[in-house]
Amino acid sequence: MGSVEKRSKDVMSDIPTFSAENLQNNLKVIQNSRTFLSIIAGVLAGIIGFNGLTGFVFYFVVMLITSVGLMAKAGFSADLYFDSLNRVLFDGFLGGLMSFVLFWTFAYDLVHIF
Amino acid sequence: MNLGFVVGVIGVLILSHAAYSTIQYRGLLKIMEEEFSRPPMNVLLELIVGLALCMWAALTFPGKFLSIHPDSDENRTVSLPDSSEFMIFNHRGRLFPPQIDMKF
């Protein structure tokens, strides 16, 4: 086999090797999707005019919808594309929060304070 | 470009149009001296449409998921990594006269 392989530490699983570069590609796809959607969520929160905690609740709602969308994209069988389900659901959650707050304040200033 | 990119651009354009409508709505409220609580209903509808389009674009544009099973059908051809250790230089090309393009 010429593809780059990596042995997982878990002896109990029935798939001892998997292709690591495909896994990296899948993780990059999730990261890009989440970053783009957190920027869009920030712009939306700024336009609607959320103040305080409501905005963060909106961000978590959008991230939950993103998780559902990513699971649907993976066909609801995550072990065909990832080694653990937690990666799909919770990988880029807090990383997008910074971008969300940045674009939230940016859009809020643009629309409401000008 | 491919469809996901076009849909994403359309979603962003719809969002910026909704932002502009909200700015105008705020100007109108300043004239009428009322408080701003939330954007008007058509702007909210536009924002939902823009969000749906951007979400669809964000799920399709970054690329497909690749299977990580080593023995699935789409992993049959393997490619050597493009690192420099696999390059060889001792082939027939070394017998060609070198092309010197030097401009002063």
Side-chain angles (χ1 to χ4, degrees):
Chain A
M1 288 241 213
S3 72
V4 179
E5 292 176 345
K6 174 177 94 170
R7 294 200 176 269
S8 68
K9 307 268 193 305
D10 190 8
V11 185
M12 306 285 244
S13 74
D14 51 349
I15 311 170
T17 62
F18 52 88
S19 161
E21 59 183 89
N22 281 354
L23 180 70
Q24 263 186 348
N25 172 65
N26 295 346
L27 289 178
K28 197 161 59 104
V29 165
I30 304 181
Q31 188 83 6
N32 285 346
S33 298
R34 281 199 189 273
T35 311
F36 179 63
L37 274 177
S38 52
I39 291 177
I40 296 291
V43 170
L44 222 74
I47 294 176
I48 298 179
F50 285 130
N51 277 322
L53 206 58
T54 322
F56 291 102
V57 169
F58 178 69
Y59 171 70
F60 280 113
V61 165
V62 171
M63 281 294 120
L64 281 174
I65 300 178
T66 313
S67 295
V68 171
L70 284 170
M71 283 298 294
K73 180 175 178 165
F76 291 107
S77 68
D79 46 333
L80 193 59
Y81 301 113
F82 300 97
D83 52 350
S84 75
L85 192 63
N86 290 333
R87 283 187 189 271
V88 179
L89 298 181
F90 302 119
D91 194 19
F93 238 80
L94 294 181
L97 191 64
M98 307 279 189
S99 312
F100 170 77
V101 171
L102 176 69
F103 278 89
W104 178 17
T105 51
F106 179 60
Y108 192 89
D109 291 343
L110 209 60
V111 171
H112 296 275
I113 302 181
F114 198 74
Chain B
M1 280 282 198
N2 55 353
L3 184 63
F5 184 68
V6 171
V7 169
V9 166
I10 293 177
V12 169
L13 285 178
I14 291 180
L15 283 182
S16 41
H17 178 258
Y20 190 66
S21 310
T22 314
I23 295 176
Q24 280 188 327
Y25 178 68
R26 275 192 76 95
L28 179 70
L29 285 186
K30 275 202 187 80
I31 295 176
M32 301 198 318
E33 290 182 2
E34 289 178 5
E35 278 290 313
F36 175 84
S37 66
R38 58 169 184 77
M41 282 309 293
N42 56 342
V43 170
L44 282 178
L45 201 63
E46 207 173 343
L47 287 175
I48 291 176
V49 168
L51 181 66
L53 284 181
C54 283
M55 216 172 259
W56 193 87
L59 289 176
T60 51
F61 180 63
K64 289 166 53 80
F65 283 150
L66 299 175
S67 164
I68 65 172
H69 282 192
D71 47 356
S72 73
D73 276 343
E74 63 201 27
N75 279 346
R76 289 187 59 188
T77 58
V78 294
S79 57
L80 290 174
D82 304 281
S83 63
S84 58
E85 276 100 23
F86 289 103
M87 294 183 189
I88 56 172
F89 298 102
N90 194 22
H91 52 74
R92 288 178 292 180
R94 67 185 166 94
L95 298 177
F96 286 128
Q99 294 171 346
I100 302 180
D101 292 322
M102 288 173 57
K103 292 185 167 55
F104 291 103

